[in-house]
Amino acid sequence: MKLFKLSILAVLLMLASGCAIGATVVKVEHEPLKEASVKREGKVAVTTFADKREEGHQKHIGNKRNAYGMVLGWVDSKGEIEEILTDYFVKTLKEAGYEVSRVSAIPEDASQFDAIVEGEIVEFWLDLYMAVWQDMTIKIRVLDGATLNTLWEKVLEAEETNTLWWGVKSEYETVIREALTKALNMAVDEFSSEEFYKNIKREAESVEP
């Protein structure tokens, strides 16, 4: 009986703190993107997004807490978050109809593109305590390919919160996926909009309704 009680105590201690210890590596994925309401035309280049998160958030994409709220572990992405998010935003531009080139930095022959798209990851962070939530803020800036003047800017923000049941990896991945999908669908709407199209074309061409 004493051994049984000790076993139960050990399990309770693991549930209270052990699940939060160490790093959990998760897949940063999204659900299928919405279809753009209008397909646009144009040639754009997308540079690798810059990680502009606050210093304490740059090494990981989230933290884990035990039942008392103490941070005892971290959440890391499977792959560099800058590369992952850049690739996903390339998808949103393609969904909006644009011909997209993925580049590491502004190319010397930038004038061949209608626009250069840059991104800054202002926030991408998961946290948990009784619930699990994901916050993300991405700043998008579009430059004229010929002059590199700013044509358009937008800050996309998305968050999602779910009940935390077991504190397992699948719960982290679900809330990340839901928040990211929300942000990417916002991007599809923005990139397919008349405002965006007119800006990258410098209003030199008529816009199809």
Side-chain angles (χ1 to χ4, degrees):
M1 179 62 70
K2 183 176 180 180
L3 182 59
F4 176 76
K5 290 181 178 179
L6 289 174
S7 299
I8 294 297
L9 179 60
V11 171
L12 291 174
L13 288 173
M14 288 177 64
L15 291 174
S17 60
C19 64
I21 295 174
T24 296
V25 179
V26 300
K27 294 179 180 179
V28 176
E29 298 178 323
H30 62 84
E31 297 168 2
L33 299 179
K34 69 185 300 182
E35 292 187 8
S37 57
V38 178
K39 296 288 187 179
R40 304 298 184 182
E41 294 181 355
K43 189 176 181 181
V44 301
V46 180
T47 63
T48 302
F49 284 14
D51 189 351
K52 296 295 184 179
R53 295 177 295 164
E54 60 183 84
E55 186 175 351
H57 286 186
Q58 286 191 336
K59 292 183 178 180
H60 310 282
I61 64 167
N63 54 221
K64 300 183 294 181
R65 302 177 187 271
N66 64 9
Y68 306 105
M70 298 171 58
V71 175
L72 296 180
W74 306 100
V75 179
D76 295 329
S77 60
K78 188 175 182 180
E80 297 294 329
I81 196 64
E82 304 97 304
E83 298 291 334
I84 293 170
L85 294 183
T86 304
D87 286 340
Y88 287 163
F89 275 83
V90 165
K91 283 186 180 181
T92 65
L93 282 158
K94 289 181 176 179
E95 174 57 37
Y98 296 100
E99 178 185 344
V100 187
S101 297
R102 169 84 150 77
V103 296
S104 58
I106 297 175
E108 293 183 2
D109 56 346
S111 59
Q112 69 173 300
F113 298 100
D114 293 309
I116 309 295
V117 178
E118 297 181 323
E120 293 184 0
I121 306 169
V122 180
E123 187 63 282
F124 192 95
W125 194 252
L126 178 143
D127 207 340
L128 58 93
Y129 183 63
M130 307 305 288
V132 57
W133 59 89
Q134 171 73 30
D135 293 324
M136 61 179 298
T137 302
I138 309 294
K139 181 178 181 181
I140 304 294
R141 184 171 63 155
V142 179
L143 309 178
D144 184 336
T147 66
L148 299 184
N149 292 330
T150 299
L151 300 173
W152 183 90
E153 287 184 296
K154 184 74 68 171
V155 175
L156 301 177
E157 297 179 288
E159 61 180 32
E160 194 66 43
T161 304
N162 290 332
T163 301
L164 183 67
W165 294 105
W166 301 105
V168 295
K169 182 167 71 171
S170 60
E171 292 182 297
Y172 309 153
E173 291 178 334
T174 295
V175 75
I176 291 171
R177 184 171 61 252
E178 291 174 351
L180 181 55
T181 302
K182 189 182 293 185
L184 294 176
N185 283 336
M186 290 179 193
V188 171
D189 286 338
E190 292 290 348
F191 295 150
S192 60
S193 69
E194 182 176 348
E195 176 193 0
F196 181 84
Y197 183 70
K198 289 175 68 175
N199 272 282
I200 72 166
K201 291 294 186 177
R202 274 88 57 199
E203 299 185 354
E205 301 177 7
S206 61
V207 180
E208 296 293 332

